[in-house]
Amino acid sequence: LTATLRGESILAKTVKVAWFAEFDVEITQETSILEAEVMAADITGHHDPVGLYRLTVKDVMEKGHVDNWYMMKRSDGGVTSAAIHLTAKYIQYDADPKEKKRRRREEIAK
């Protein structure tokens, strides 16, 4: 599973947050869940939760690719007004390590 997390949110009328993170993660169970949790640091260094979203690997596998905005929730399940843009792509590799490495290089080159 290759996932790209992009987010943009208005936390207050005068504070705009934009960030970008990209990573690859090897998933061996389709029942796995990718959990994106966003925290905001204040000037004292304290981290306040903005929200979280859970994306199921099974959903990505079935669709092959997801690229959408999702409403986040608080950790207690409550509603928040924050949204997160998630892009994820399912790439199936062969068990052979050499073939896996070759396919990964091809995917990166795209």
Side-chain angles (χ1 to χ4, degrees):
L1 178 72
T2 298
T4 303
L5 305 179
R6 295 180 185 174
E8 198 168 295
S9 174
I10 304 293
L11 295 179
K13 290 183 180 180
T14 58
V15 179
K16 183 176 181 179
V17 177
W19 47 270
F20 175 79
E22 185 172 333
F23 56 91
D24 293 337
V25 69
E26 186 172 339
I27 304 291
T28 58
Q29 300 285 326
E30 75 175 49
T31 56
S32 296
I33 295 172
L34 172 65
E35 182 176 284
E37 183 175 18
V38 178
M39 304 290 281
D42 62 22
I43 58 172
T44 65
H46 182 263
H47 291 81
D48 296 316
V50 174
L52 64 88
Y53 184 78
R54 292 182 179 103
L55 181 65
T56 65
V57 170
K58 184 177 181 182
D59 191 40
V60 178
M61 289 174 70
E62 287 174 354
K63 294 177 182 174
H65 179 260
V66 295
D67 184 355
N68 207 348
W69 281 94
Y70 300 96
M71 291 306 297
M72 299 178 78
K73 294 188 177 199
R74 294 192 324 246
S75 59
D76 65 3
V79 178
T80 180
S81 61
I84 187 168
H85 180 237
L86 297 175
T87 302
K89 178 171 50 171
Y90 175 68
I91 304 168
Q92 184 171 351
Y93 294 113
D94 294 330
D96 177 19
K98 288 181 183 178
E99 181 64 17
K100 181 178 176 180
K101 191 180 259 187
R102 183 189 68 78
R103 285 193 182 187
R104 180 68 191 128
R105 282 194 307 267
E106 288 175 0
E107 284 298 323
I108 292 171
K110 287 182 182 180

